[in-house]
Amino acid sequence: MDNLSDTLKKLKITAVDRTEDSLEGCLDCLLQALAQNNMETSEKIQGSGTLQLFASLLIPQSSCTAKVANVIAEVAKNEFMRIPCVDAGLISPLVQLLNSKDQEVLLQTGRALGNICYDSHEGRSAVDQAGGAQIVIDHLRSLCSITDPANEKLLTVFCGMLMNYSNENDSLQAQLINMGVIPTLVKLLGIHCQNAALTEMCLVAFGNLAELESSKEQFASTNIAEELVKLFKKQTEHDKREMIFEVLAPLAEMDAIKLQLVEAGLVECLLEIVQQKVDSDKEDDIAELKTASDLMVLLLLGDESMQKLFEGGKGNVFQRVLSWIPSNNHQLQLAGALAIANFARNDGNCIHMVDSGIVEKLMELLDRHVEDGNVTVQHAALSALRNLAIPVVNKAKMLSAGVTEAVLKFLKSEMPPVQFKLLGTLRMLIDAQAEAAEQLGKNVKLVERLVEWCEAKDHAGVMGESNRLLSALIRHSKSKDVIKTIVQSGGIKHLVTMATSEHVIMQNEALVALALIAALELGTAEKDLESAKLVQILHRLLADERSAPEIKYNSMVLICALMGSESLYKEVQDLAFLDVVSKLRSHENKSVAQQASLTEQRLTVDS
């Protein structure tokens, strides 16, 4: 270290004299000291005030410039040296050196700037102000096609510098995207896919940039899907594949790229991984199986990519995914059920799948998870059944296959996601199916559970679906017995509250169900309707200008139906409904205006 002190003194003199030989000797000595003990040497350099000298030594025409930049790069490996490098005015001359034609100068300058930017706001800011990023991107473009080792090393350093410059900084990443870095990096990946270090740099850069919304369009306009799949096929090591997966996942969120990945043959790679890893109990293999099957499900979220893989229900991919459902591996059961739910996004697919026996497979899967089952598998299988039940022609087939009974086994579940899907599946199944709606509506256990869930204030989805199913049981069955069961279980107040929902569709469903109750079983429900303050709510709905036309229409139909009850009719009279109703006779909606005239007549005749 005494030697180092002498070198630093000598460097100060030499820096003024500009004698190249002595300067080179001093720099060699510093590099040697930094190699032996970087931290201590860096502290000495900072303490001696030598950093400021470097700014004047960074001149393009000097033969020592590359070594000066190398010393700065070594020093800037220490976090405590990055701000001092900025304060010593090193950024501007370093950025100027990026215009050099000397490959070694470019290499060491790229390293120096990259290290100063690493995790340093001040470093990034200074490079940004000096315009360093654009020069580096221009270099990447112009050097992109040269494949000799020295050039590949320089490209790797430049990629690393851009990474350090923009890492976890949205505005700087957006700046690089605007400068067109993405197509350049994709081209680099294609040309230099044999170079592990450069490939790795590109992948890390893609992973960071793909998180940004503004990157999506640029990525979609390149052949990144093809390049990544090509690279993926060559990888045998778990870590390398995982790295590519980390880029594929955010890219596969974009519909345009989903299709490109499918066309590039990613699905076949994923299916192969699943086949290789399915029986392994190694941690890495289990993780890779999960990633591959999750990614497969993600690709099916795009309409075009999903339809391409479905191939009319005869596609190899569809058949393979189907074979996951009876598997003993929970991850594959889950992915299989989610994939079916994704395939079941249009009527044609749903009808084909129900006809080809998928419902039975899903019911068998659910059966395996009734007692202490896997919640995610339950949720996924119910999601698939719910989607399959949407086409009208499927409902009767699924009901006769026993889906209702299979789903009701989960009535005791305490998991809101499972409750939510269970309710949705039952609601889809009974749509316009009077017999099934009546059967379910007379099931006291089910109705009591629905009433309980109607109060699940912590879970808005479950609460909403419970209300909608209660209403659906009445609307589709039009059964007195169903209404009696719901009254006895305390469900009326929830239907009245549902009429005040912020969602018009739910308000409407509630009003239609309440009108049926009033028409079929008014005597049984009278007290509950009174205590739920139905008449006051209807007055409010009719008086409110924001109420949708169908809400006004159904509220008046309900008012007329309530007149059969003495106590409720008295409430109607007390609230001066005539004023509100007569105003609606001139409503722009013809149905509302006609119903207002009819309701006014009823109110006048009966008063």
Side-chain angles (χ1 to χ4, degrees), residues 34 38 42 45 51 70-78 81 85:
L34 283 161
N38 192 315
S42 297
I45 291 172
L51 269 183
N70 190 357
V71 170
I72 297 168
E74 289 303 315
V75 161
K77 285 179 176 175
N78 300 289
M81 289 300 287
C85 283

Side-chain angles (χ1 to χ4, degrees), residues 54-87:
F54 290 154
S56 63
L57 296 174
L58 290 167
I59 44 174
Q61 50 273 49
S62 163
S63 62
C64 294
T65 305
K67 279 188 180 167
V68 179
N70 190 357
V71 170
I72 297 168
E74 289 303 315
V75 161
K77 285 179 176 175
N78 300 289
E79 192 181 345
F80 65 88
M81 289 300 287
R82 288 169 201 150
I83 293 175
C85 283
V86 175
D87 294 343

